[in-house]
Amino acid sequence: MSDRIRHAGLREKRMSAEQAAALIHPGMTVAMSGFTGAGYPKAVPQALAARIDEAHARGEAFRINVMTGASTAPELDGALARAHGIELRLPYQSDPNLRERINAGELNYIDMHLSHVAQYTWFGYFGAVDVAVVEVTAIDEAGHLVPSSSVGNNKTWLEQADKVILEVNHWQPDALDGMHDVYYGTALPPNRKPIPLVHPDDRIGEPYLRCDPDKVIAVVETSAPDRNSPFTPPDAASKQIATHLLDFLAHEVRRGRLTPQLLPLQSGVGNITNAVLAGLGEAGYRDLTAFTEVIQDGMLDLLKRGVLRMASATSFSLSPEGIDEFLANVDFYRDRIVLRTQEMSNHPELVRRLGCIAMNGMIEVDLYGNVNSTHVAGTKIMNGIGGSGDFARNAYLSVFMSPSTAKNGAISSIVPMASHVDHTEHDVMVIVTEQGLADLRGLAPRQRAQRIIDQCAHPDFRPMLQDYFDRACRESFGKHTPHLLGEALSWHQRFVETGSMRM
Amino acid sequence: MSDRIRHAGLREKRMSAEQAAALIHPGMTVAMSGFTGAGYPKAVPQALAARIDEAHARGEAFRINVMTGASTAPELDGALARAHGIELRLPYQSDPNLRERINAGELNYIDMHLSHVAQYTWFGYFGAVDVAVVEVTAIDEAGHLVPSSSVGNNKTWLEQADKVILEVNHWQPDALDGMHDVYYGTALPPNRKPIPLVHPDDRIGEPYLRCDPDKVIAVVETSAPDRNSPFTPPDAASKQIATHLLDFLAHEVRRGRLTPQLLPLQSGVGNITNAVLAGLGEAGYRDLTAFTEVIQDGMLDLLKRGVLRMASATSFSLSPEGIDEFLANVDFYRDRIVLRTQEMSNHPELVRRLGCIAMNGMIEVDLYGNVNSTHVAGTKIMNGIGGSGDFARNAYLSVFMSPSTAKNGAISSIVPMASHVDHTEHDVMVIVTEQGLADLRGLAPRQRAQRIIDQCAHPDFRPMLQDYFDRACRESFGKHTPHLLGEALSWHQRFVETGSMRM
């Protein structure tokens, strides 16, 4: 299996996952690859979880701090969470087992902007990184690393960690070679220079990751697939949301605020986004671009049909069918896809310069346009803010989307006051539900409230929201942002107590 | 008085403020100069307010939309507010009369990031700008405008407005000529290029504002001072806050996370900032730089003593004594001060590249580090977010400061849940009160809560906060961010009902 390890010195460092996991000790800070279920190490974390289980069975404490690019998979977050092996986790997760532990208060989780992770590490804000565990596709003769299906924070982990464990995954296609763009022009203030990217397809770096071979303490060979969630077709609500958003984009083109090529698209992951992407194809758009975090199945289809001219991201998140399609036409896609480090894919400087159209999901929005992306009832974390803040804050257009209700209608996504705020009223331009679209640009708080109630609220909750707003306009302490403080969170409290926000 | 108007065609357009105000009609969007009580038009807004009063006395409706750089003065916001002449106001204000009208719900106020105003206008998000009213120091032979004591959004107003009214203020020192740097390299996406500024003292533009003389419909001569709030010496709490922050900066230098020259300083306006600036001088720092919004008296002193090597801003806000000092040594200061447009002084690209140390005041912070900069009890706007978001979100260090109590101890600045969020948990690194400093970097929510309670809360409120937090950790629906939703805003509700947060 070793034709993927072409550097002689590193070939000598091959060992089993168990041997490599034995080099990770309690209390260490371990930085791992992985972004949206792609490119995470498959073997060492599981071996480490087994090692932690054994230590715990002996009555010994064993927990580590885990940093990644973003979400991983059951083999990493799931395994370590089930072993009670995580003391601190950042910056994003979506694993059911890990989520449960976090919300039980068993471990510390720092939910942060994905563009901030690399630089906060460089700045020393997280202390030393003891070990990096990074999946790669191959190692060339000179020791350069061909990145895997995500780049994420790997450049930073390889530079900052004292020691490095590499997983060479034979399942990752050789054809990934040449798709990546790793920018080595970063620096710490006061020595930073402008980032020389002016188009979403500009290549400003190198195709390979650098790594000092002397730091590598283990090379583990694997052959295991990425998480590869199957593609689920959009449901009716997602299609309605997409229709409203597409109507709006067409309106903006007619008004001359967007050209027919729009501007670089950023989109979160999931059903609604897939419906929007599909709708762009149906609406006749051509030569669009994407400057985003994740390449999903829908984007391959748009690339193939010329709807998308190119896509820049930091990760692939494809279904098994998507991977087959990618491999069958890899030369075509290699010309049209760039995978960057996440400090570049999400960089505020680039998002603002390019003028991205940021389209992200949300948990809830309040009457005044404050968006909660992370917390159910203000206290339970769902996944994390991810890149939504990096993009929304600096976008040409910031759009947040959700069905107007959740839990079979028990929860309204439009609430009097957001129970947690990830995107403030200052950063939110457009809200879309299956009911309609509220364009909040140029509106003051009370105007926004009426617009959101009229356009986005579910009819079952609309009278309750209107009643709250009307009474708040009469009785609020201040009338710039009217609220009844004793009632503002009562919908969430009712949900916690009864399982429903309904009266 | 006309030696300040050296362009023949514009000299012919001289008229009285009353004549100029007569060119502004009901329903117009009027973009005015002014930033932090500096460089705002002194005569036309007052004449306009009189015209509005007369219209109202005749029973005629007369309201306009008013956009500025930031806060102005009684002659502008105060006069128009008292005349009930404002329909919409953005992006920032600090006038008592205007604030009262906003909080009575009489007009619409959009509180937004100051770096966003220019580009949202270019994007067309606010519709057409009918008239710009801009104060300048002088007009040269070619029609170039020598900016006044602030630049703010004036480049944008002069470009975007259909018609322009200029106020040439003879009170503004001729010596301002040459201090400004107006960057004309901006563009709309997808044609944006990197902004070529890599040091806070780089000059990347022109010293003058361009304006098509054909758009100028009136030139009004004035001779009136800026608001010039007198300098008030820092009080005891401000000095204690400054001491904590200076100890922290010294600690960061010792740890190697900052050099002895620190990084470019951004500071809000007010007593606490003045105390911090004074403390920097006493602590022996030399050759510091400022990349900020406003030059205050304290900065002149630091420049004179070499503590500051230079300062970049968009506005002067000096006391009468500060102006005397400036004029007495104008050549010295001209070499060390650059005044930029506010889309550059506050630009996220530049703030992140330079790695600013952002120091801003706040109204309250909650246990988890969410900061409210704008709303008393979640409903009454105080001033606005100003540039605090532009800087905090992209800073190397983001610091928020406040005395731990307000209203003679009736209000705690540390609350269970912020009643409004302007800076989310993802963007806040350091909290300082006179009690101490909480470094939140690398801390998860529950860790932040205990740190803030221990370090920053007033002893009178500390047991109440600890009690809330302890019970929330036991009883909260989710324990990632523990809250008791029925109680989370009860402190604010109690304040609204009784005038105090105390039990």
Side-chain angles (χ1 to χ4, degrees):
Chain A
M1 287 174 71
S2 64
D3 60 314
R4 293 278 187 105
I5 309 173
R6 297 187 287 275
H7 180 277
L10 292 178
R11 198 153 42 205
E12 289 173 12
K13 295 184 179 177
R14 280 177 298 171
M15 64 180 75
S16 70
E18 291 69 27
Q19 289 171 309
L23 303 172
I24 298 173
H25 305 298
M28 278 187 165
T29 294
V30 184
M32 305 215 196
S33 61
F35 198 108
T36 326
Y40 53 91
K42 315 296 194 277
V44 174
Q46 295 190 81
L48 178 62
R51 182 164 139 71
I52 290 170
D53 276 335
E54 291 162 16
H56 288 169
R58 292 191 303 270
E60 296 166 18
F62 197 150
R63 297 180 91 180
I64 60 169
N65 304 319
V66 179
M67 318 200 321
T68 62
S71 59
T72 65
E75 305 98 296
L76 198 168
D77 277 327
L80 292 173
R82 285 191 299 274
H84 301 270
I86 303 179
E87 176 72 27
L88 169 69
R89 180 74 176 86
L90 66 83
Y92 185 90
Q93 61 78 37
S94 65
D95 184 83
N97 288 288
L98 179 54
R99 184 188 296 130
E100 189 187 324
R101 307 276 184 218
I102 294 169
N103 286 317
E106 286 185 26
L107 63 98
N108 288 314
Y109 175 54
I110 302 177
D111 174 30
M112 53 187 295
H113 302 298
L114 296 184
S115 84
H116 278 174
V117 185
Q119 72 167 10
Y120 285 11
T121 307
W122 309 336
F123 296 167
Y125 292 176
F126 301 131
V129 180
D130 297 302
V131 182
V133 184
V134 173
E135 180 182 279
V136 299
T137 299
I139 305 171
D140 78 5
E141 291 75 2
H144 299 128
L145 310 178
V146 181
S148 167
S149 47
S150 69
V151 184
N153 287 314
N154 293 347
K155 166 184 173 285
T156 295
W157 298 159
L158 295 167
E159 285 179 342
Q160 295 283 317
D162 291 336
K163 309 207 177 289
V164 170
I165 296 173
L166 297 173
E167 284 199 7
V168 180
N169 187 353
H170 291 257
W171 176 87
Q172 295 287 1
D174 265 324
L176 287 171
D177 192 344
M179 298 196 77
H180 309 87
D181 186 64
V182 185
Y183 179 61
Y184 278 95
T186 57
L188 298 189
N191 300 312
R192 283 182 168 164
K193 298 282 186 293
I195 300 166
L197 185 149
V198 295
H199 305 296
D201 36 0
D202 286 348
R203 287 180 173 270
I204 59 175
E206 309 171 8
Y208 305 127
L209 289 160
R210 302 175 190 168
C211 178
D212 175 2
D214 291 342
K215 292 209 304 193
V216 178
I217 56 172
V219 177
V220 176
E221 291 184 277
T222 66
S223 183
D226 279 332
R227 191 175 66 195
N228 305 127
S229 306
F231 180 82
T232 51
D235 57 12
S238 298
K239 285 184 186 168
Q240 287 171 297
I241 291 170
T243 300
H244 296 310
L245 180 54
L246 289 160
D247 284 349
F248 170 75
L249 293 175
H251 171 260
E252 291 295 295
V253 172
R254 283 195 303 276
R255 286 286 298 267
R257 287 196 286 244
L258 285 171
T259 72
Q261 287 74 45
L262 304 178
L263 282 164
L265 304 170
Q266 176 264 335
S267 57
V269 173
N271 268 350
I272 298 175
T273 303
N274 284 328
V276 173
L277 293 176
L280 287 167
E282 289 160 19
Y285 287 99
R286 301 284 301 173
D287 287 331
L288 307 182
T289 59
F291 192 81
T292 189
E293 293 174 322
V294 181
I295 308 277
Q296 294 182 266
D297 284 28
M299 288 198 182
L300 296 189
D301 182 56
L302 296 186
L303 286 165
K304 197 159 191 181
R305 294 160 54 202
V307 179
L308 270 182
R309 182 171 61 76
M310 61 75 57
S312 165
T314 191
S315 172
F316 275 115
S317 187
L318 300 176
S319 73
E321 298 74 35
I323 291 171
D324 291 344
E325 162 60 26
F326 171 69
L327 290 177
N329 298 284
V330 68
D331 290 334
F332 174 87
Y333 290 115
R334 196 190 292 107
D335 287 345
R336 289 165 179 79
I337 291 176
V338 188
L339 292 186
R340 310 179 188 281
T341 57
Q342 77 189 65
E343 73 267 20
M344 289 299 125
S345 66
N346 288 34
H347 202 298
E349 174 176 336
L350 303 182
V351 173
R352 179 133 162 180
R353 182 179 303 149
L354 296 173
C356 290
I357 298 177
M359 304 178 289
N360 290 285
M362 63 178 178
I363 289 175
E364 64 186 14
V365 61
D366 71 20
L367 295 177
Y368 303 108
N370 300 285
V371 167
N372 172 7
S373 297
T374 57
H375 283 69
V376 175
T379 61
K380 272 196 183 173
I381 191 102
M382 180 57 73
N383 300 329
I385 190 170
S388 59
D390 292 324
F391 285 94
R393 176 65 157 274
N394 296 288
Y396 185 88
L397 273 177
S398 69
V399 181
F400 288 92
M401 306 178 286
S402 168
S404 68
T405 61
K407 295 241 176 206
N408 294 318
I411 292 179
S412 174
S413 313
I414 318 292
V415 292
M417 177 184 271
S419 60
H420 185 89
V421 178
D422 296 290
H423 309 285
T424 72
E425 55 163 334
H426 316 288
D427 297 322
V428 175
M429 296 185 199
V430 176
I431 299 292
V432 199
T433 70
E434 83 289 351
Q435 299 293 319
L437 180 146
D439 178 1
L440 307 180
R441 295 173 300 174
L443 298 188
R446 293 188 308 275
Q447 296 173 307
R448 284 180 225 146
Q450 196 59 57
R451 181 82 53 99
I452 290 172
I453 293 171
D454 292 343
Q455 299 293 319
C456 297
H458 191 279
D460 287 2
F461 287 101
R462 194 174 291 153
M464 287 170 66
L465 287 164
Q466 188 71 53
D467 173 61
Y468 176 88
F469 179 56
D470 290 344
R471 286 185 296 118
C473 284
R474 287 196 302 271
E475 300 164 24
S476 178
F477 177 61
K479 303 209 167 43
H480 175 59
T481 305
H483 269 303
L484 304 169
L485 295 173
E487 269 186 53
L489 298 172
S490 64
W491 293 32
H492 301 89
Q493 178 67 15
R494 195 156 52 236
F495 165 73
V496 169
E497 290 173 0
T498 71
S500 171
M501 285 182 176
R502 290 168 188 268
M503 296 284 237
Chain B
M1 283 177 73
S2 64
D3 58 319
R4 293 277 186 106
I5 310 173
R6 298 188 286 275
H7 181 277
L10 292 178
R11 197 153 42 206
E12 287 174 13
K13 295 183 179 178
R14 280 178 295 171
M15 64 181 74
S16 71
E18 291 68 27
Q19 290 171 309
L23 303 171
I24 298 173
H25 305 299
M28 278 187 166
T29 293
V30 183
M32 306 215 195
S33 61
F35 197 109
T36 327
Y40 55 90
K42 315 298 194 275
V44 173
Q46 295 189 82
L48 178 61
R51 181 162 138 75
I52 290 171
D53 276 334
E54 290 161 17
H56 288 168
R58 292 192 302 271
E60 296 166 17
F62 197 150
R63 298 179 90 180
I64 61 170
N65 304 320
V66 179
M67 317 197 331
T68 63
S71 59
T72 65
E75 302 98 295
L76 198 169
D77 277 326
L80 292 172
R82 284 191 300 272
H84 301 269
I86 303 179
E87 176 74 26
L88 168 69
R89 179 74 175 87
L90 65 85
Y92 184 90
Q93 62 78 37
S94 65
D95 183 82
N97 288 289
L98 178 54
R99 183 188 296 130
E100 189 188 323
R101 305 278 182 217
I102 293 170
N103 286 317
E106 286 185 26
L107 63 100
N108 288 315
Y109 176 54
I110 301 177
D111 174 29
M112 54 184 296
H113 302 299
L114 297 185
S115 83
H116 278 174
V117 184
Q119 72 167 9
Y120 284 11
T121 308
W122 308 336
F123 295 167
Y125 291 176
F126 301 130
V129 180
D130 297 301
V131 182
V133 184
V134 173
E135 181 184 278
V136 299
T137 300
I139 304 170
D140 79 3
E141 289 75 1
H144 299 129
L145 310 179
V146 181
S148 168
S149 47
S150 68
V151 183
N153 285 316
N154 293 347
K155 165 183 173 286
T156 295
W157 298 159
L158 295 167
E159 284 178 343
Q160 295 284 318
D162 292 335
K163 307 199 178 296
V164 171
I165 295 173
L166 297 174
E167 285 199 6
V168 179
N169 185 354
H170 291 257
W171 176 87
Q172 295 288 1
D174 265 324
L176 288 170
D177 191 343
M179 299 196 78
H180 309 88
D181 186 64
V182 184
Y183 180 60
Y184 278 95
T186 57
L188 298 190
N191 299 312
R192 283 182 169 165
K193 298 283 187 293
I195 301 165
L197 183 149
V198 295
H199 303 295
D201 35 359
D202 286 347
R203 287 180 173 270
I204 59 175
E206 309 170 7
Y208 306 126
L209 289 160
R210 304 175 190 168
C211 178
D212 175 2
D214 290 342
K215 293 211 301 194
V216 178
I217 55 172
V219 178
V220 176
E221 290 184 277
T222 67
S223 185
D226 279 331
R227 193 176 65 196
N228 305 126
S229 308
F231 180 81
T232 53
D235 57 12
S238 298
K239 285 184 185 168
Q240 287 171 297
I241 291 170
T243 299
H244 297 311
L245 180 55
L246 289 160
D247 285 350
F248 170 76
L249 292 175
H251 171 262
E252 292 294 296
V253 172
R254 286 196 301 276
R255 287 286 299 268
R257 287 196 286 246
L258 286 170
T259 71
Q261 286 75 44
L262 304 179
L263 282 164
L265 304 171
Q266 176 263 335
S267 57
V269 173
N271 268 349
I272 298 176
T273 303
N274 284 328
V276 172
L277 293 176
L280 286 168
E282 289 159 18
Y285 287 98
R286 303 281 302 173
D287 288 330
L288 306 182
T289 59
F291 192 80
T292 190
E293 294 174 320
V294 181
I295 308 277
Q296 295 182 266
D297 283 28
M299 288 198 180
L300 296 189
D301 183 55
L302 295 187
L303 286 166
K304 198 159 192 181
R305 292 159 54 200
V307 179
L308 271 181
R309 182 170 62 74
M310 62 74 56
S312 164
T314 192
S315 172
F316 276 114
S317 187
L318 300 176
S319 71
E321 298 73 34
I323 290 171
D324 290 344
E325 163 59 27
F326 171 70
L327 290 178
N329 297 283
V330 69
D331 290 332
F332 174 88
Y333 289 117
R334 196 190 294 108
D335 287 344
R336 288 164 178 81
I337 292 175
V338 188
L339 291 186
R340 309 181 189 279
T341 56
Q342 76 189 64
E343 72 267 21
M344 290 297 126
S345 67
N346 287 35
H347 202 297
E349 174 175 336
L350 304 182
V351 173
R352 178 134 162 180
R353 181 179 303 148
L354 297 172
C356 290
I357 298 177
M359 305 179 288
N360 291 286
M362 62 179 178
I363 289 176
E364 65 187 12
V365 60
D366 71 20
L367 294 176
Y368 304 106
N370 299 287
V371 167
N372 172 6
S373 297
T374 56
H375 282 69
V376 176
T379 59
K380 271 195 185 176
I381 192 98
M382 179 59 72
N383 299 330
I385 190 170
S388 59
D390 292 324
F391 284 95
R393 177 63 156 276
N394 296 289
Y396 185 89
L397 273 176
S398 68
V399 180
F400 288 92
M401 307 178 284
S402 168
S404 68
T405 60
K407 295 243 177 206
N408 295 317
I411 293 179
S412 174
S413 313
I414 320 291
V415 292
M417 178 183 270
S419 60
H420 185 88
V421 178
D422 296 290
H423 310 286
T424 73
E425 54 161 339
H426 316 288
D427 297 321
V428 175
M429 297 186 198
V430 175
I431 299 292
V432 199
T433 70
E434 83 289 349
Q435 299 293 319
L437 179 146
D439 178 2
L440 307 180
R441 294 173 300 174
L443 298 187
R446 294 188 308 277
Q447 296 173 307
R448 284 180 226 145
Q450 196 59 58
R451 182 80 54 98
I452 291 173
I453 293 171
D454 291 344
Q455 299 293 319
C456 298
H458 191 279
D460 287 1
F461 287 101
R462 194 175 291 153
M464 288 169 66
L465 288 164
Q466 188 71 52
D467 172 63
Y468 176 88
F469 179 57
D470 290 344
R471 286 186 295 119
C473 284
R474 286 196 302 272
E475 300 164 23
S476 178
F477 177 61
K479 301 208 168 43
H480 175 59
T481 304
H483 269 303
L484 304 169
L485 296 173
E487 270 186 51
L489 297 173
S490 64
W491 294 31
H492 300 89
Q493 179 67 16
R494 195 156 52 238
F495 165 72
V496 168
E497 290 172 1
T498 72
S500 172
M501 286 183 176
R502 292 169 186 266
M503 298 283 238

